[in-house]
Amino acid sequence: NGGMTDRELLAAAQFACERQIWDRCINTSDRTKADIDFDTRFPMPFREAVVKRAQGINLDPAYVYGLIRQESRFITDARSSVGASGLMQVMPRTAKWTAKKLGLKNFQPEQLNQKDVNIAIGTGYMKLVLNSFQGSMPMAAAAYNAGPSRPRKWRNGPTLEGAIWAECIPFNETRDYVKKV
């Protein structure tokens, strides 16, 4: 870690958090070994918007935060190489489909960089995915990351406790993603 002590890392993380540079805040806080500061490692920006939306559709806000933390590190205009946008990294086609399901009129994919629209579409999609997996949070997180068809294949076999199932995911990226969410 470039020789920085945990105290120095946490001071740097705090500095980034205060300036709302969420990715630096989290990534720096993640590097501490003994001193763990949950406020900088797991910040909760946009609390009002996230909590209100999540509770409004009966989703655990902590689950939504875990997902956003993995997807974008709270960067509202994040863009992935495959074209996913915003806080919850929603793909344009998924966003259009979800907007239709939610009854949002005149939705345009460019709106995904607006924090509130992204949270509405992302949580709406998350809820639909979660319902399709009978409320299994690990499977829904895997589906959010790898697409819905893969976790269905990985489910075949004995019913496993979520944390054990996550360890058995054959894709490194998705296994790591589900555990971190």
Side-chain angles (χ1 to χ4, degrees):
N1 64 11
M4 285 175 84
T5 66
D6 277 4
R7 278 190 55 201
E8 290 166 328
L9 286 167
L10 290 179
Q14 189 65 48
F15 183 82
C17 278
E18 284 163 6
R19 281 149 191 80
Q20 301 183 356
I21 308 167
W22 303 114
D23 56 332
R24 297 281 169 82
C25 163
I26 295 164
N27 296 346
T28 306
S29 187
D30 253 348
R31 289 169 37 201
T32 63
K33 300 285 181 273
D35 272 344
I36 293 172
D37 176 51
F38 289 100
D39 290 334
T40 54
R41 195 169 282 198
F42 301 100
M44 293 174 63
F46 323 124
R47 187 174 306 211
E48 200 181 324
V50 172
V51 171
K52 201 159 121 190
R53 263 295 165 184
Q55 288 176 339
I57 56 172
N58 216 359
L59 265 184
D60 182 345
Y63 184 51
V64 175
Y65 269 110
L67 196 89
I68 297 175
R69 184 181 184 272
Q70 277 312 104
E71 287 293 344
S72 69
R73 290 289 197 252
F74 303 100
I75 299 169
T76 51
D77 58 356
R79 293 280 309 201
S80 80
S81 56
V82 292
S85 283
L87 286 175
M88 297 188 74
Q89 289 293 286
V90 186
M91 293 293 282
R93 274 182 54 204
T94 303
K96 281 186 194 145
W97 179 82
T98 305
K100 203 171 279 171
K101 287 260 188 216
L102 299 177
L104 291 179
K105 302 271 177 266
N106 310 319
F107 170 76
Q108 299 298 320
E110 303 79 70
Q111 295 171 285
L112 285 173
N113 286 335
Q114 296 168 21
K115 170 183 61 113
D116 292 335
V117 173
N118 195 281
I119 292 168
I121 298 268
T123 54
Y125 177 65
M126 191 73 228
K127 182 67 175 177
L128 292 164
V129 171
L130 193 60
N131 290 347
S132 77
F133 286 102
Q134 289 78 49
S136 166
M137 288 198 213
M139 289 189 75
Y144 199 98
N145 176 258
S149 61
R150 292 198 177 102
R152 291 192 202 290
K153 289 191 198 98
W154 302 336
R155 184 170 53 185
N156 294 338
T159 301
L160 300 170
E161 194 270 319
I164 297 168
W165 181 81
E167 291 292 350
C168 302
I169 295 173
F171 287 12
N172 290 341
E173 184 205 327
T174 304
R175 182 172 57 247
D176 184 55
Y177 176 92
V178 170
K179 287 160 67 175
K180 285 184 172 156
V181 169

